[in-house]
């Protein structure tokens, strides 16, 4: 059953407080990225993709185009290895500059700064129904726990514990920590495993069973 609020008044207020200045400051970078894309690909520099949003509603994600127009709109990410991507637009993808237009979706309320990655319908429908419903309880995010993990090179459904832990233990402290680690990841400072998330970042009322699942990888690593 869908929630009565996308993610809470405080989270929405934080999205606007941080998202509006970032969206405005990002405009010059978006302009540069769009010019690079247009010159490298000889096509419309902006790309629109439909994704699954809050309460399962479809919404349109806007990105700076980084792939040739011959690439299918909903191609499997693993198939991209066979694509010939210009170095200039490949750099845009590496630095995540292609995703900067989504800051305006945060301002508009379709997305949040932090949350589950917005997924394509074809992949969303393959999720376990309970997991799919859980992900739809909040706005999808520009970044999130899965997005900064070493497993983001694969598919969300292969490592659902990152989204589950975030959704069951989310707090404003966790959002701030994820945003900070996102910046470090972009700067090449590495990814994050679940056992590396500090206990203070989780909400204090988190169920004991959920806390145990978050700490489980630490034991596995020691073994």
């Amino acid at each position: 059953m869908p929630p009565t609020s996308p993610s809470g008044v405080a989270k929405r207020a934080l999205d606007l407080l941080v998202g509006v200045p970032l969206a405005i400051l990002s405009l010059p970078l978006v302009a540069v990225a769009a010019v690079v894309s247009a010159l490298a690909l000889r096509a419309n520099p902006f790309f629109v993709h439909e994704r699954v949003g809050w309460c399962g509603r479809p919404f349109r994600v806007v990105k700076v185009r980084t792939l040739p127009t011959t690439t299918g709109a909903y191609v499997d990410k693993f198939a991209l290895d066979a694509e010939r991507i210009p170095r200039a637009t490949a750099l845009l993808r590496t630095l995540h500059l292609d995703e900067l237009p989504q800051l305006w979706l945060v301002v508009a309320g379709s997305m949040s700064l932090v949350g589950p990655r917005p997924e394509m319908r074809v992949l969303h429908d393959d999720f376990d129904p309970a997991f799919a419903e859980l992900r739809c309880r909040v706005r999808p995010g520009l970044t999130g726990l899965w997005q900064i993990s070493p497993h983001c090179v694969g598919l969300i459904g292969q490592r659902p514990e990152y989204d589950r832990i975030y959704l069951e233990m989310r707090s404003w402290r966790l959002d701030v920590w994820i945003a900070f680690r996102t910046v470090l990841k972009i700067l090449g400072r590495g990814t994050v495993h679940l056992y590396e998330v500090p206990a203070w970042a989780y909400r204090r009322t988190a169920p004991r069973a959920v806390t145990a699942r978050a700490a489980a990888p630490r034991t596995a690593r020691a073994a």
Side-chain angles (χ1 to χ4, degrees), residues 21-129:
L22 286 180
I24 294 173
L25 291 173
S26 72
L27 286 176
L29 286 174
V30 172
V32 171
V35 170
V36 170
S37 173
L39 292 176
L41 300 173
R42 305 294 181 182
N44 184 334
F46 294 102
F47 176 73
V48 179
H49 216 226
E50 186 172 282
R51 299 293 177 97
V52 178
W54 176 60
C55 289
R57 299 167 184 161
F59 75 104
R60 302 174 77 187
V61 169
V62 181
K63 293 186 175 185
V64 174
R65 186 184 298 274
T66 58
L67 301 174
T69 55
T70 54
T71 304
Y74 296 94
V75 65
D76 187 298
K77 67 189 299 181
F78 298 117
L80 296 180
D81 293 337
E83 293 286 338
R84 299 188 64 178
I85 305 174
R87 289 184 179 180
T89 57
L91 181 61
L92 296 181
R93 291 175 66 86
T94 300
L95 298 177
H96 301 285
L97 296 180
D98 59 319
E99 298 182 359
L100 286 179
Q102 294 172 43
L103 283 167
W104 292 101
L105 295 178
V106 173
V107 175
S110 298
M111 295 182 66
S112 178
L113 290 172
V114 180
R117 179 179 183 273
E119 193 53 273
M120 295 183 291
R121 174 66 67 179
V122 64
L123 295 179
H124 172 86
D125 290 346
D126 281 341
F127 290 153
D128 173 79

